C-alpha cells in the first residue's frame, strides 16, 4: 500500500510487476574499479520508461578518526562498505550497505547500515533510519534479485516496498559450472532430494534453506516461476498447476522427500464464504495432485521416501487451558478452522494409503514467529498502539520460531519414528495472548501498553477470521521432545529477541 503511494512520487510507472527492467552498470573513469554508475530503467522499451541513476562506491568502513573515537553507532563490520548516492548531492550524502558473500547457495547480500556524509558515517541511531536490503543469486540465465525497503524500527519495520526480478546476462561457459546450483538428477546431493510445494511462502522458504543446509537437493513447485525468487538453497523451480500430478513426478525416486505446504494464505483477507472455499479447495486439490504423482512414481518402482503434509493446530478448535498433546482429538462441533484441517488430514491419509502406502507425516503447525509475516507483525502493531491484551488475554497462543519450524519439518522427514504420525509443530512453552503482548512491550520499551481491546470490535472488523486471535490452544510437542529434537528457541522472550523476529534490536543494541 505504501509502495503504491510512494511509487508515483518517485516517478515509477504503475503495475511494475509486469514491466521490463534494465540495469546498466558502468565503471567511473579514474576510480580504479571502486566506483560505478548504476542506471535503472523501469518500463524499459515503452513510452512509460523512467530512468533513475545513482553512483555506488566501495568505501572503507571506518576512517582513522572514527575508529579512534570508537563511535557506538558504527554497526557495520570492518572492511568495505557499499555507499549509494541519494540522487542529490551524490558525493556528499549517501546510504551505506554492508556486503556479505554467502554460500549454499552462492549469493551476495546487501543490508543498509546507516548514512554517510562524505566518507564519514553520521551519528544517527539505527532505529531512526529506514532499512533497505537485497540479495543477488546466480542462476542459469544470469542472476535473481530480491529486496525490501522498510520504515525505521521505531515504526515497527513496516515494509514500504518489495521488489524482485531476474537479470539475464551472458555468462562464460567456464563460469556456469562453478556458480550455478546442481541441476535435478545430478546426484550431487548426499542426502537425496526434497520436493517442496509452497516453497515461496513464509515457512516454505525457511524449509528450503534448512533442507539445503542438511545436504538435500531442493526443488520448488510453483504456479508461476516468474513471480517469485528462488528460495535460499533451492536448486530450481518446477512449474506445477497445484492440483494435478504433473511432469514433476519424474523427479521422484526412493530418496525423495515430498513436502506439501501449498494452500491459499488464510491471513490474506477477510473470510467470506467464497474465500473460505478457496482456502479449503486449494489445500485439497494440492493433496490430490501429490497423490497422482506418488501413485505414478510408485507404479514405476520409485516411490518416495516419505510425504510431509502441513496441517494446523486450528484442528483442535478453542480449548481453553486444556493441554493438547499429539494424541489430542479434534472436536465434533462445526468450526471452519477445525473442519478444514480435519478434511485435509483425512484426505492426505487416504491418498497416502491408496497411492502405495507411502509414509505420511502430518505436521499441525502453530503460529510461526517471524518479522516477515504471520501473526507477529499484527500483534506488534497492536502493541505499538498500546494494546496489553486482545479479549481477556487468557487465550493460549501455540507459537514456534521460524527457525525451529523449518528444522522440525526437516527432522520429521528424517526420523522414521514419525512416519505415519501426526505431531504438534509448536514450542514447548506456550504463552497467553497477554504474556506475548507484555513481552513485545518489554522488548520495544513501550511503557504505555495498558489498553485491553475487547473482542467485539475486532470480530466486527475481521469477521470469522478473528478466531485465529481468540481461539485458545495450549499445545505441547510431545513427539518432538520424546525423539530428542532440540529447539533453538524454547522460550518466547528468546524467540522475540532473535534476529529473525527483528523485535529485540531496540532493547538489546
Amino acid at each position: 500500500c505504501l509502495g503504491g503511494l510512494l511509487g508515483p512520487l518517485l516517478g515509477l510507472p504503475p503495475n511494475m510487476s509486469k514491466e521490463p527492467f534494465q540495469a546498466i552498470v558502468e565503471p567511473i573513469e579514474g576510480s580504479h574499479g571502486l566506483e560505478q554508475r548504476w542506471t535503472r530503467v523501469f518500463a524499459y522499451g515503452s513510452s512509460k520508461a523512467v530512468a533513475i541513476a545513482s553512483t555506488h562506491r566501495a568505501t572503507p568502513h571506518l576512517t582513522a578518526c572514527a575508529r579512534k573515537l570508537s563511535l557506538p553507532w558504527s554497526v557495520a563490520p570492518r572492511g568495505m562498505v557499499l555507499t549509494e548516492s541519494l540522487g542529490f548531492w551524490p558525493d556528499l550524502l549517501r546510504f551505506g550497505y554492508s556486503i556479505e558473500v554467502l554460500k549454499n547457495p552462492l549469493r551476495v547480500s546487501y543490508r543498509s547500515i546507516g548514512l554517510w556524509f562524505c566518507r564519514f558515517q553520521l551519528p544517527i541511531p539505527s532505529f531512526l533510519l529506514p532499512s533497505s536490503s537485497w540479495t543477488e543469486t546466480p542462476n542459469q540465465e544470469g542472476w535473481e534479485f530480491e529486496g525490501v525497503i522498510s520504515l525505521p524500527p521505531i515504526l515497527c519495520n513496516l515494509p514500504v516496498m518489495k521488489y524482485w526480478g531476474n537479470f539475464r546476462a551472458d555468462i562464460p561457459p567456464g563460469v556456469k559450472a562453478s556458480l550455478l546450483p546442481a541441476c535435478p538428477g545430478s546426484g550431487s546431493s548426499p542426502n537425496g532430494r526434497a520436493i517442496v510445494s509452497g516453497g515461496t511462502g513464509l515457512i516454505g522458504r525457511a524449509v528450503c534453506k534448512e533442507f539445503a543446509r542438511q545436504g538435500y537437493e531442493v526443488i520448488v513447485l510453483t504456479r508461476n516461476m516468474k513471480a517469485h525468487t528462488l528460495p535460499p538453497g533451492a536448486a530450481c523451480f518446477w512449474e506445477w498447476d497445484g492440483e494435478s500430478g504433473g511432469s514433476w513426478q519424474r523427479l521422484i525416486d526412493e530418496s525423495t522427500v515430498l513436502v506439501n505446504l501449498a494452500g491459499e494464505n488464510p491471513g490474506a483477507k477477510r473470510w467470506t464464504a467464497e474465500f473460505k472455499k478457496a482456502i479449503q479447495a486449494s489445500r485439497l486439490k494440492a493433496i490430490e495432485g501429490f497423490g497422482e504423482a506418488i501413485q505414478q512414481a510408485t507404479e514405476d518402482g520409485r516411490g518416495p521416501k516419505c510425504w510431509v503434509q502441513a496441517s494446523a493446530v486450528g484442528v483442535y478448535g478453542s480449548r481453553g487451558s486444556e493441554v493438547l498433546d499429539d494424541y489430542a482429538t479434534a472436536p465434533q462441533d462445526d468450526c471452519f478452522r477445525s473442519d478444514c484441517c480435519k478434511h485435509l488430514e483425512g484426505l492426505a491419509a487416504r491418498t497416502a494409503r491408496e497411492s502405495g502406502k507411502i509414509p505420511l507425516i502430518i505436521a499441525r503447525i502453530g503460529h510461526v514467529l517471524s518479522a516477515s509475516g504471520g501473526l507477529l507483525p499484527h500483534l506488534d502493531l497492536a502493541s505499538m498502539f498500546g494494546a496489553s491484551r486482545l479479549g481477556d488475554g487468557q487465550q493460549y497462543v501455540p507459537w514456534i520460531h521460524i527457525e525451529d519450524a523449518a528444522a522440525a519439518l526437516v527432522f520429521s522427514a528424517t526420523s522414521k519414528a514419525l512416519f505415519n504420525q501426526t505431531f504438534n509443530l509448536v514450542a514447548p512453552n506456550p504463552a497467553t495472548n497477554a504474556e506475548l503482548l507484555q513481552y513485545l512491550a518489554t522488548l520495544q520499551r513501550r511503557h504505555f501498553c495498558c489498553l485491553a481491546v475487547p473482542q467485539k470490535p475486532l470480530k466486527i472488523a475481521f469477521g470469522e477470521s478473528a478466531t485465529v486471535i481468540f481461539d485458545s490452544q495450549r499445545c505441547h510437542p510431545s513427539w518432538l521432545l520424546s525423539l530428542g529434537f532440540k529447539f533453538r528457541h524454547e522460550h518466547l522472550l528468546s524467540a522475540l529477541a532473535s534476529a529473525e523476529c527483528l523485535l529485540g534490536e531496540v532493547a538489546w543494541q
Side-chain angles (χ1 to χ4, degrees):
C1 181
L2 289 173
L5 294 174
L6 291 176
L9 296 177
L10 297 173
L12 301 181
N15 193 23
M16 282 297 298
S17 62
K18 296 183 179 179
E19 295 286 358
F21 175 82
Q22 183 190 54
I24 303 171
V25 180
E26 303 169 295
I28 293 178
E29 188 175 353
S31 67
H32 304 289
L34 294 179
E35 191 167 6
Q36 299 172 334
R37 179 179 293 105
W38 292 13
T39 305
R40 305 168 179 87
V41 184
F42 299 88
Y44 174 71
S46 75
S47 59
K48 300 180 293 182
V50 176
I52 297 178
S54 60
T55 60
H56 291 70
R57 178 186 299 147
T59 303
H61 168 49
L62 293 176
T63 63
C65 176
R67 189 177 298 119
K68 184 176 180 180
L69 292 173
S70 300
L71 299 180
W73 53 80
S74 297
V75 294
R78 296 187 184 276
M80 302 303 287
V81 168
L82 176 73
T83 61
E84 178 182 19
S85 64
L86 304 182
F88 53 90
W89 298 343
D91 290 324
L92 298 179
L93 194 61
R94 311 172 70 89
F95 270 119
Y97 296 87
S98 64
I99 309 170
E100 186 177 6
V101 179
L102 305 174
K103 296 182 179 180
N104 298 322
L106 178 66
R107 62 198 186 281
V108 184
S109 172
Y110 301 85
R111 185 174 297 275
S112 61
I113 52 175
L115 278 177
W116 263 249
F117 184 75
C118 293
R119 296 182 183 273
F120 291 88
Q121 187 176 2
L122 294 176
I124 303 175
S126 60
F127 62 83
L128 294 178
L129 290 172
S131 63
S132 173
S133 62
W134 78 92
T135 58
E136 299 175 355
T137 306
N139 60 25
Q140 294 178 347
E141 293 184 326
W143 66 93
E144 300 171 354
F145 67 95
E146 178 181 20
V148 62
I149 300 173
S150 304
L151 294 177
I154 198 171
L155 297 177
C156 297
N157 285 114
L158 292 175
V160 173
M161 188 179 298
K162 293 184 178 180
Y163 54 93
W164 61 89
N166 295 276
F167 282 114
R168 289 190 294 272
D170 292 328
I171 304 178
V175 176
K176 287 187 178 181
S178 61
L179 287 183
L180 301 181
C183 296
S186 65
S188 61
S189 300
N191 288 337
R193 177 177 296 150
I195 300 178
V196 182
S197 69
T200 58
L202 174 68
I203 303 174
R205 295 183 71 85
V207 167
C208 291
K209 181 179 179 180
E210 183 65 18
F211 267 115
R213 190 184 71 81
Q214 296 196 25
Y216 286 81
E217 177 190 52
V218 181
I219 298 172
V220 181
L221 305 180
T222 181
R223 291 177 181 271
N224 189 345
M225 292 187 288
K226 295 182 179 179
H228 302 287
T229 56
L230 198 65
C236 66
F237 281 128
W238 198 279
E239 198 158 11
W240 179 48
D241 62 7
E243 55 186 65
S244 63
S247 61
W248 65 272
Q249 60 85 16
R250 301 196 304 268
L251 305 174
I252 300 174
D253 60 24
E254 297 84 351
S255 66
T256 300
V257 173
L258 303 180
V259 182
N260 184 22
L261 304 171
E264 193 79 41
N265 178 9
K269 55 185 177 180
R270 189 182 178 92
W271 288 1
T272 62
E274 182 179 359
F275 188 51
K276 288 197 293 184
K277 287 181 181 177
I279 292 172
Q280 182 160 310
S282 62
R283 285 160 172 76
L284 299 182
K285 288 179 180 179
I287 290 172
E288 290 171 352
F290 264 57
E292 289 181 22
I294 292 171
Q295 185 170 11
Q296 183 61 55
T298 302
E299 290 175 357
D300 294 342
R302 46 183 179 82
K305 175 183 176 182
C306 65
W307 170 11
V308 181
Q309 172 63 46
S311 183
V313 295
V315 71
Y316 297 119
S318 186
R319 305 285 279 271
S321 60
E322 177 187 356
V323 177
L324 304 168
D325 63 13
D326 303 292
Y327 299 101
T329 56
Q332 298 300 317
D333 58 334
D334 186 20
C335 164
F336 172 69
R337 292 181 72 204
S338 180
D339 287 346
C340 182
C341 293
K342 285 187 288 187
H343 277 112
L344 76 86
E345 289 182 12
L347 178 61
R350 290 194 303 273
T351 302
R353 288 195 303 268
E354 295 169 0
S355 300
K357 297 182 179 180
I358 299 303
L360 173 68
I361 304 120
I362 295 178
R364 290 174 172 171
I365 305 174
H367 292 294
V368 176
L369 297 187
S370 168
S372 300
L375 184 66
L376 182 58
H378 299 285
L379 291 180
D380 190 50
L381 185 62
S383 173
M384 186 178 71
F385 284 99
S388 63
R389 68 174 188 260
L390 304 180
D392 64 11
Q394 297 308 301
Q395 66 270 32
Y396 278 90
V397 181
W399 63 273
I400 186 168
H401 189 275
I402 182 68
E403 278 190 341
D404 286 330
L409 283 169
V410 176
F411 177 83
S412 71
T414 58
S415 177
K416 291 187 177 181
L418 279 172
F419 285 8
N420 298 313
Q421 298 292 342
T422 299
F423 73 100
N424 291 334
L425 189 55
V426 296
N429 296 293
T432 64
N433 173 270
E435 290 170 339
L436 199 156
L437 285 169
Q438 179 185 353
Y439 283 136
L440 283 176
T442 300
L443 283 170
Q444 299 289 51
R445 295 179 179 174
R446 295 170 183 153
H447 306 297
F448 55 87
C449 292
C450 56
L451 178 64
V453 183
Q455 283 194 24
K456 192 169 183 179
L458 290 177
K459 287 186 174 181
I460 293 173
F462 297 106
E464 191 177 352
S465 63
T467 58
V468 175
I469 300 172
F470 296 117
D471 281 356
S472 178
Q473 291 127 0
R474 191 177 182 179
C475 298
H476 187 68
S478 308
W479 265 113
L480 290 176
L481 291 174
S482 66
L483 294 175
F485 177 76
K486 301 297 183 184
F487 287 88
R488 301 174 194 175
H489 302 279
E490 292 189 11
H491 300 283
L492 184 58
L493 188 60
S494 164
L496 294 176
S498 67
E500 291 74 19
C501 291
L502 297 178
L503 298 176
E505 181 177 355
V506 174
W508 305 120
Q509 67 176 354

